[in-house]
Amino acid sequence: MSPENHKIPRWVERLLKPFFPEDTRQEKLGDLEELCPDDIQKKGNFRTTLWYFFQLTRLLRSQSRLSFYWGFAMFKNYVIIAFRSLKRHKVYSLITVSGLALGMAAFLLISVWVLHELSFDRFHENASSIFRVSEKRHFPDQVRHNFRTPGPLSEELKANFPEIQESVRVALTGERVLKHGDKVFYEDYILTVDPEFFEIFSFPFIEGDRFSALASPDAIVITEKMARKYFGRENPIGKTLTMDNRLDFSVTGVIKDVPSNSHLQFDMLVPFDVVERLGWITDAWDFSMALTYIQLDGSVDYREFEQKIAGLVKTHDKNSNIELFLKPLTKVYLYSSYDNPDGQGRIQYVYIFSLLGILILIVACINFMNLATARSEFRAREIGMRKVIGASKVHIIRQFLVEAVFIAFLSLLLTPLLIQIVLPGFNRITQETFALSHFSSSSMIFVMLGVTLF
């Protein structure tokens, strides 16, 4: 048979190219050419293709096993060398590992705070379609922002704008005296809300029905912390709480404690009509007294809808200087403040601390690289010996990369101890209640692994 008939198909060479260097690839191709039987060649291209495919499968499977075995063996050798090197140079190892660990601990502490800030109000099922209605009051010399709106606004929006799926009012009652039996306490975090409150916000219930819990004018929903405070281990459903010694409420629901990443913080919820019984004005268009939240249909562009309702108050009060605007729920905490509901809020601190965390990590990396460079002359003899016995440039690079990653993971093992030490002071500064469990979330695990490899 002529040599042309034994010519190996080009696709075979293309498949081998990623797995073998040039010299080895030509050797394997020569072996395949010699091994191909004459009778296979005579039976046509299809049989020849099948034969080559079968041989390639066997060859690549064998090569993958060898690569895995020797790769693992070399990796194990690199780790052993790295461990011995650290053990031999204890002072260098202590400085390197502790320096990286301090940088990583600082970065992770800042990261958990930043992720917490960015997570505000995102736990609600319909967070992306919930908005807070706020107002701008136009005066001759200035524009004042206010996150409160007139009492009748919520019902007006829901009744006349089909784009709105639901609308609720929320108002803080201020400090009130709550009593059950011989237990009497001052409570600051009691909100009055419309019955549809739980149709918009997804605060999880422990006891009671979320859709009917506030249907009665004398209903009250409490958090599990308040349930323990007033009723101990008893079932609070149906029990009575008295407000200011004149308003009696029956407990209709118990919800989990409000998470710290909610801009709405409360311990108890009562129907909005309670503010009228407390003497508040709720039907005036010139008196802003409640927070108004709406849930829009998913297909609605909130910017266009914002322009549509901007002058709504003026249609009911011709002398009004109020212009309405919307703030997405997920931006209420970061992009608004008490003084300016349409300002920057705490997002500027997120930017600052994120930059600070990155700078700390970079400084730790530079410190590690400087230490490694300073020791390079002591490793020159080792590198020379490795090259003499056949190590290539790639092998040397792999060795030092494995050593660097090994040191980084040792530093990572030390970071929980450092975090635990500084966590109480960090919580006092941030006024949060972070614990080590916050570092075990999927997002933080991803951050930790990414930082370690970086």
Side-chain angles (χ1 to χ4, degrees):
M1 185 170 291
S2 65
E4 183 65 26
N5 292 333
H6 284 279
K7 189 174 181 180
I8 297 178
R10 290 184 178 180
W11 63 268
V12 176
E13 185 173 0
R14 285 197 294 266
L15 282 177
L16 289 178
K17 189 173 183 178
F19 300 97
F20 298 97
E22 177 66 25
D23 54 347
T24 306
R25 185 168 70 253
Q26 294 302 325
E27 179 184 343
K28 298 297 182 184
L29 289 171
D31 292 341
L32 288 175
E33 187 175 359
E34 291 180 5
L35 289 173
C36 184
D38 291 341
D39 58 334
I40 293 293
Q41 293 280 348
K42 293 176 181 179
K43 292 181 179 179
N45 291 333
F46 179 73
R47 294 293 297 272
T48 304
T49 301
L50 284 180
W51 186 88
Y52 276 114
F53 180 79
F54 176 73
Q55 295 300 322
L56 278 176
T57 303
R58 292 178 59 188
L59 177 61
L60 293 178
R61 183 173 60 182
S62 174
Q63 180 65 21
S64 62
R65 288 177 179 175
L66 286 174
S67 297
F68 176 79
Y69 174 80
W70 289 112
F72 179 78
M74 292 303 296
F75 176 79
K76 181 180 178 181
N77 177 259
Y78 293 153
V79 172
I80 292 173
I81 292 174
F83 178 76
R84 289 175 178 174
S85 177
L86 291 175
K87 188 177 180 181
R88 187 179 304 114
H89 305 92
K90 295 182 176 60
V91 175
Y92 163 80
S93 303
L94 178 63
I95 295 174
T96 303
V97 173
S98 60
L100 270 182
L102 283 171
M104 291 168 67
F107 181 82
L108 292 176
L109 281 168
I110 293 174
S111 295
V112 78
W113 179 82
V114 168
L115 291 175
H116 178 264
E117 294 289 291
L118 295 176
S119 70
F120 258 77
D121 298 308
R122 296 182 182 274
F123 60 89
H124 296 291
E125 294 177 6
N126 303 307
S128 60
S129 59
I130 301 173
F131 301 85
R132 187 177 70 183
V133 185
S134 301
E135 65 177 31
K136 299 176 185 177
R137 287 184 178 262
H138 294 267
F139 295 95
D141 58 341
Q142 63 179 323
V143 177
R144 293 181 183 176
H145 295 76
N146 185 13
F147 54 82
R148 294 188 180 91
T149 53
L153 178 63
S154 178
E155 288 297 324
E156 179 71 13
L157 288 171
K158 186 162 54 176
N160 296 299
F161 294 92
E163 298 93 334
I164 296 178
Q165 293 184 348
E166 200 55 77
S167 176
V168 296
R169 295 168 296 178
V170 177
L172 184 65
T173 64
E175 187 179 70
R176 298 291 166 181
V177 178
L178 267 291
K179 176 182 178 182
H180 173 72
D182 58 349
K183 295 182 178 180
V184 182
F185 299 97
Y186 285 98
E187 301 293 351
D188 291 323
Y189 294 98
I190 304 175
L191 294 183
T192 62
V193 299
D194 286 322
E196 299 81 8
F197 180 82
F198 290 112
E199 295 185 20
I200 291 183
F201 297 103
S202 307
F203 294 104
F205 267 72
I206 299 175
E207 298 282 349
D209 177 28
R210 62 181 297 178
F211 299 110
S212 61
L214 293 171
S216 169
D218 298 320
I220 185 170
V221 174
I222 61 177
T223 62
E224 54 183 335
K225 178 177 69 175
M226 292 295 105
R228 291 192 298 268
K229 182 177 180 179
Y230 285 93
F231 307 106
R233 296 184 178 181
E234 299 179 18
N235 186 352
I237 300 298
K239 301 292 177 59
T240 300
L241 285 170
T242 303
M243 179 187 293
D244 294 345
N245 287 321
R246 62 191 182 95
L247 299 177
D248 292 330
F249 296 94
S250 177
V251 178
T252 57
V254 179
I255 63 173
K256 290 184 178 180
D257 291 336
V258 178
S260 60
N261 60 343
S262 169
H263 85 280
L264 283 175
Q265 293 292 322
F266 58 88
D267 293 323
M268 301 179 178
L269 296 173
V270 294
F272 193 84
D273 295 341
V274 169
V275 294
E276 295 182 359
R277 294 152 70 182
L278 294 175
W280 291 27
I281 300 174
T282 62
D283 58 355
W285 283 97
D286 60 347
F287 177 55
S288 301
M289 48 77 61
L291 303 176
T292 302
Y293 294 90
I294 62 174
Q295 180 179 338
L296 293 178
D297 186 271
S299 60
V300 177
D301 184 337
Y302 88 92
R303 288 296 185 187
E304 294 182 2
F305 184 75
E306 180 182 60
Q307 297 176 4
K308 188 174 181 179
I309 66 170
L312 179 63
V313 178
K314 292 182 180 180
T315 62
H316 296 274
D317 181 2
K318 295 181 179 179
N319 297 321
S320 176
N321 60 354
I322 294 176
E323 176 189 353
L324 299 177
F325 68 94
L326 301 179
K327 177 69 72 173
L329 179 68
T330 53
K331 293 186 176 181
V332 165
Y333 177 77
L334 290 176
Y335 293 89
S336 65
S337 62
Y338 183 85
D339 297 325
N340 187 0
D342 197 28
Q344 287 299 307
R346 292 173 65 89
I347 190 63
Q348 57 186 332
Y349 298 112
V350 172
Y351 292 145
I352 292 171
F353 279 94
S354 297
L355 180 60
L356 178 62
I358 293 173
L359 289 176
I360 290 174
L361 190 61
I362 291 175
V363 169
C365 291
I366 292 174
N367 177 64
F368 169 72
M369 288 185 288
N370 286 338
L371 290 171
T373 304
R375 289 190 67 247
S376 60
E377 61 178 294
F378 298 103
R379 306 294 297 272
R381 184 179 300 175
E382 175 191 344
I383 295 171
M385 289 298 297
R386 284 186 171 272
K387 286 186 175 181
V388 167
I389 61 176
S392 65
K393 182 179 178 180
V394 173
H395 294 141
I396 302 298
I397 292 173
R398 287 177 183 172
Q399 176 188 345
F400 283 100
L401 282 177
V402 169
E403 288 186 17
V405 173
F406 179 73
I407 293 172
F409 272 98
L410 283 181
S411 303
L412 180 62
L413 295 177
L414 185 60
T415 52
L417 176 61
L418 297 175
I419 289 173
Q420 185 64 48
I421 293 173
V422 302
L423 201 55
F426 184 76
N427 283 335
R428 284 194 295 271
I429 294 173
T430 60
Q431 298 182 344
E432 296 291 349
T433 56
F434 294 124
L436 279 179
S437 58
H438 288 86
F439 294 84
S440 61
S441 65
S442 58
S443 56
M444 280 307 301
I445 290 175
F446 177 80
V447 170
M448 284 189 285
L449 290 177
V451 167
T452 303
L453 293 175
F454 172 77

